[in-house]
Amino acid sequence: MSETYYEFGTAADRWDRAQMFFDAKEYLTAARILGGLVEEVPEQVAPRLLLARSYYHSARLGKAEEELRRILELDPVETYAHLMMGRTLERQGRNADAAPHLRMAEVLTGDFGSGGDRS
């Protein structure tokens, strides 16, 4: 795939551009930009999390799950990654796999009020 204008510039420029495309609901374009950023700074959680969100919103659930697993390897107490992992797995019909992640997100936020009822 050839590079386009939005894949050039500093990492900060590309991060801003990716956020702009994400906010505009151009998830595939955001993912394309973020993929390059993640390759450059694989240890940073924020670009990976936005990449996972871009994949989730563009229904690329396998890729979202893959990124979320990497995030949780880097930061096992990343609350939003657990919540997203749970939602991603639920969306794939894998409720039993989703449950521990959703419980962990509740524990990490102190949100015990739902009692596991997700209706």
Side-chain angles (χ1 to χ4, degrees), residues 1 12-13 20 33-34 40 45 48 56-58 61 64-65 78 81 88 90 94 96 100:
M1 213 180 279
D13 292 338
M20 179 189 70
I33 297 166
L34 290 161
E40 285 178 41
V45 170
R48 281 193 184 280
Y56 178 86
H57 287 295
S58 60
L61 302 177
E65 180 181 349
E78 170 51 59
T88 299
E90 280 182 333
R94 295 166 54 195

Side-chain angles (χ1 to χ4, degrees), residues 48-49 51-53 55-56 61-75 78 80-89 101:
R48 281 193 184 280
L49 194 52
L51 179 57
R53 291 177 66 200
Y55 286 147
Y56 178 86
L61 302 177
K63 287 189 166 285
E65 180 181 349
E66 201 174 292
E67 284 306 319
L68 290 164
R69 290 199 188 284
R70 287 187 187 125
I71 292 165
L72 291 171
E73 286 173 9
L74 291 169
D75 187 355
E78 170 51 59
Y80 193 66
H82 279 288
L83 178 62
M84 274 201 66
M85 179 65 87
R87 296 293 183 228
T88 299
L89 294 169
H101 292 285

